[in-house]
C-alpha cells in the first residue's frame, strides 16, 4: 500500500470476505500501530534539527570545559616552575654566602 487511496478499497474487500471478529481486531491493531509508527517517524524528522543543535551545544560546552581545564593545568605548572626557580635562586645565594665566609 503506497497511498492512502488504496486503503479504502482494501477495507471494502476485507469486509466483503466476512472475516472473523479476531481477524478484524488484528487488522485494526496493525493499522493503528502502522499509523503510530508513521507519526513517530514524522515527529523524529521534524524534531531532529533541534536535537542536533542541542548535541552541538553540548559538544561545544565539553570542548570549552576541556580547554579551561588545560589552561588551569598550564597555569599551575607555570606557577610551580616559577616557585622552584625562586627556591633554587635562594638556595644558590645561601651557598655562595657560605663559601664567602668560609674562605
Amino acid at each position: 500500500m503506497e497511498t492512502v487511496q488504496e486503503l479504502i478499497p482494501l477495507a471494502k474487500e476485507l469486509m466483503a470476505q466476512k472475516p472473523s471478529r479476531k481477524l478484524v481486531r488484528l487488522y485494526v491493531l496493525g493499522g493503528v500501530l502502522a499509523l503510530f509508527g508513521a507519526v513517530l517517524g514524522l515527529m523524529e524528522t521534524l524534531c531532529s534539527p533541534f536535537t542536533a543543535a542541542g548535541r552541538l551545544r553540548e559538544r561545544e560546552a565539553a570542548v570549552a570545559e576541556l580547554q579551561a581545564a588545560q589552561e588551569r593545568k598550564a597555569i599551575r605548572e607555570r606557577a610551580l616552575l616559577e616557585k622552584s626557580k625562586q627556591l633554587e635562586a635562594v638556595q644558590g645565594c645561601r651557598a655562595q654566602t657560605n663559601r664567602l665566609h668560609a674562605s
Side-chain angles (χ1 to χ4, degrees):
M1 286 194 304
E2 295 179 4
T3 63
V4 176
Q5 295 171 349
E6 295 175 7
L7 188 62
I8 294 173
L10 177 68
K12 284 183 181 179
E13 184 180 329
L14 288 175
M15 295 311 286
Q17 292 178 0
K18 303 283 184 192
S20 67
R21 182 172 266 189
K22 289 181 181 179
L23 200 54
V24 170
R25 286 182 185 170
L26 185 64
Y27 288 147
V28 170
L29 178 65
V32 169
L33 289 176
L35 183 63
F36 187 65
V39 169
L40 284 177
L42 181 63
M43 290 301 294
E44 183 181 355
T45 302
L46 292 175
C47 296
S48 66
F50 302 113
T51 57
R55 285 188 213 127
L56 181 61
R57 274 187 250 122
E58 290 173 1
R59 187 176 298 144
E60 289 174 351
V63 167
E65 186 177 333
L66 286 173
Q67 288 176 346
Q70 287 176 346
E71 288 175 8
R72 287 191 301 264
K73 185 178 177 183
I75 290 171
R76 270 190 251 127
E77 288 176 357
R78 279 190 230 126
L80 287 174
L81 184 62
E82 289 175 10
K83 218 178 213 184
S84 66
K85 284 182 181 180
Q86 289 174 353
L87 186 61
E88 287 174 6
V90 168
Q91 289 175 350
C93 291
R94 288 182 185 167
Q96 289 176 354
T97 304
N98 291 338
R99 282 192 212 134
L100 290 176
H101 290 293
S103 54

